[in-house]
């Protein structure tokens, strides 16, 4: 018997990651400018790093309580009131190893074999595998460029999501940069209540919006009890490597997730919890500086694409724009651009239905590199 002969059906069912294949191609090319990665080019704010160092000097190297340090849950509870969310630090918040763990816990706690998980696409690449690992059946719900990749009740209806058990939402969105307003979410909330779905709402880019305030479906009437909200420190606080996130929801939901978490993870990293606590206490200005810089880059990239004649809707959140590939073939464009101009972008089709013919461009990279990358893209487009 070998492990290779004994892969679980769930693992076999998940296809190899398209994004990984593309990064492997990019690694073979020298002098690459990568607009491919989904992580901040900044370091975590200094105060957060100092708090982590200080906690180590004070010998804070033990587990914390399963749900995370009480002070941190209190600070999170206080923080999210700015999005109109009210969660009790005692029993409605759990601190996790990145938002990734929180999403995985929710799949494992609420998805049974055969449950249908509706996933609006193009989508962050982890939801479909996460649903499959839990035994669920992913149902792609294509969204469209003409709707600026927002989710509509019509798109849900067309995909058959009225039969689903769980709906995953991610706004501001990775990979499109789409955001949804409160009114647009109200329409989705109507659909959710009418068809009695549960919602997993990944709001990790809540602080990276460039026009409107963040809107959360959980704040709509009748939605709090059927929604879990995910958030974390990776994006707004540039803390990807510290691996800290959280989930919020009704007590019975957080209890169930904690039941999985306490055996799978025990507790989220302690050093990172100290960094996160300080981030919430004193790093608003640092976040605002990063947000302002992302916005400057976003407008620069959109303007350059416009000059080149590349169609691109105005992405208003996260740090991605999602232009159309000029000849409609995203894979060929991305591969050609990499080979001839050493610029790495991600073909939209790796993000699922609706992504074909588009390119994900991350502007979480320096203005100097972005300028050079835009010149190279222009040269490639005009060939
Ligand atoms: N959700 C989305 C939409 C993301 O883009 C990412 C990171 N790429 C995550 C979750 C994972 O975040 P974390 O680092 O907190 O696990």
């Amino acid at each position: 018997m070998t492990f290779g002969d004994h892969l679980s059906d769930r693992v076999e069912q998940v296809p190899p990651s398209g994004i990984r294949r593309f990064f492997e191609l990019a690694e073979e090319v020298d002098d690459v400018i990568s607009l491919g990665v989904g992580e901040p080019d900044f370091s975590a704010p200094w105060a957060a790093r100092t708090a982590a160092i200080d906690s180590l000097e004070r010998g804070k190297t033990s587990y914390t309580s399963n749900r995370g340090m009480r002070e941190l849950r209190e600070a999170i509870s206080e923080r999210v009131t700015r999005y109109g969310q009210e969660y009790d630090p005692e029993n409605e918040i759990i601190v996790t190893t990145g938002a990734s763990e929180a999403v995985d816990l929710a799949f494992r706690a609420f998805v049974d074999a055969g449950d249908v998980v509706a996933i609006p696409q193009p989508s962050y690449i982890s939801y479909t595998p996460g649903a499959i690992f839990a035994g669920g059946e992913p149902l792609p719900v294509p969204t469209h460029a003409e709707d600026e990749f927002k989710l509509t009740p019509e798109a849900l209806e067309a995909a058959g999501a009225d039969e689903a058990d769980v709906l995953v939402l991610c706004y501001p969105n990775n990979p499109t940069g789409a955001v949804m307003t409160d009114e647009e979410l109200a329409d989705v909330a109507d659909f959710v209540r009418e068809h009695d779905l549960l919602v997993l709402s990944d709001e990790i880019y809540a602080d990276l919006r460039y026009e409107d305030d963040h809107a959360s479906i959980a704040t709509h009437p009748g939605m709090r009890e059927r929604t879990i909200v995910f958030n974390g420190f990776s994006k707004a606080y540039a803390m990807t490597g510290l691996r800290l996130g959280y989930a919020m929801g009704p007590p019975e939901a957080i209890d169930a997730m904690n039941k999985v978490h306490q055996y799978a993870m025990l507790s989220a990293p302690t050093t990172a919890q100290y960094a996160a606590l300080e981030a919430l206490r004193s790093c608003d200005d640092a976040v605002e500086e990063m947000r302002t810089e992302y916005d400057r880059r976003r407008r620069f990239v959109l303007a350059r694409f416009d000059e080149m004649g590349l169609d691109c809707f105005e992405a208003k959140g996260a740090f991605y724009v999602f232009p159309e590939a000029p000849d409609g073939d995203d894979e060929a464009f991305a591969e050609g651009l990499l080979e001839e101009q050493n610029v790495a972008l991600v073909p939209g089709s790796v993000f699922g239905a609706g992504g074909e013919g588009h390119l994900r461009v991350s502007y979480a990279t320096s203005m100097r590199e972005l300028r050079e990358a835009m010149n190279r893209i222009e040269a490639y487009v005009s060939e």
Side-chain angles (χ1 to χ4, degrees), residues 354-374:
E356 345 52 66
H358 289 77
L359 305 159
R360 189 186 77 172
V361 178
S362 160
Y363 48 87
T365 189
S366 72
M367 203 58 183
R368 196 173 57 81
E369 287 212 309
L370 271 182
R371 275 208 185 86
E372 175 59 23
M374 290 300 132

Side-chain angles (χ1 to χ4, degrees), residues 288-304:
E288 182 53 22
E289 261 175 49
M290 290 188 272
R291 197 194 64 86
T292 306
E293 176 58 20
Y294 289 134
D295 190 24
R296 186 167 83 100
R297 298 172 187 176
R298 176 184 71 103
R299 283 183 278 118
F300 168 73
V301 170
L302 287 170
R304 285 302 308 271

Side-chain angles (χ1 to χ4, degrees), residues 154-337:
E154 294 73 33
L156 284 161
E157 195 81 54
D162 47 334
E163 298 288 322
D165 300 285
V166 174
L167 169 65
V168 178
L169 294 181
C170 176
Y171 299 97
N173 185 265
N174 174 8
T176 63
V179 300
M180 287 187 56
T181 64
D182 224 26
E183 297 72 46
E184 290 158 351
L185 287 170
D187 294 339
V188 174
D190 287 344
F191 183 94
V192 164
R193 282 186 308 259
E194 188 184 335
H195 300 289
D196 199 19
L197 312 183
L198 295 174
V199 175
L200 307 182
S201 183
D202 183 348
E203 301 179 16
I204 194 161
Y205 293 100
D207 288 325
L208 299 180
R209 305 160 326 257
Y210 307 106
E211 290 192 5
D212 306 314
D213 287 342
H214 178 59
S216 171
I217 196 161
T219 62
H220 286 261
M223 289 306 297
R224 188 185 190 283
E225 53 269 41
R226 52 172 80 237
T227 305
I228 313 240
V229 174
F230 309 103
N231 205 329
F233 296 87
S234 286
K235 310 294 172 168
Y237 295 95
M239 283 173 39
T240 45
L242 278 85
R243 310 305 308 123
L244 211 72
Y246 52 93
M248 304 178 295
E252 74 277 13
I254 298 302
D255 277 352
M257 289 168 65
N258 189 40
K259 198 166 175 184
V260 183
H261 168 83
Q262 71 189 349
Y263 296 116
M265 201 63 73
L266 283 94
S267 62
T270 302
T271 314
Q273 292 192 49
Y274 280 100
L277 181 58
E278 188 58 32
L280 290 175
R281 282 181 175 159
S282 75
C283 297
D284 277 2
D285 290 350
V287 171
E288 182 53 22
E289 261 175 49
M290 290 188 272
R291 197 194 64 86
T292 306
E293 176 58 20
Y294 289 134
D295 190 24
R296 186 167 83 100
R297 298 172 187 176
R298 176 184 71 103
R299 283 183 278 118
F300 168 73
V301 170
L302 287 170
R304 285 302 308 271
F305 284 152
D306 191 41
E307 282 163 27
M308 291 176 217
L310 245 66
D311 276 335
C312 187
F313 81 97
E314 194 188 341
K316 293 180 184 154
F319 34 57
Y320 312 102
V321 294
F322 207 62
E324 280 178 30
D327 53 4
D329 186 340
D330 55 310
E331 301 229 357
F333 184 91
E335 282 180 29
L337 180 69

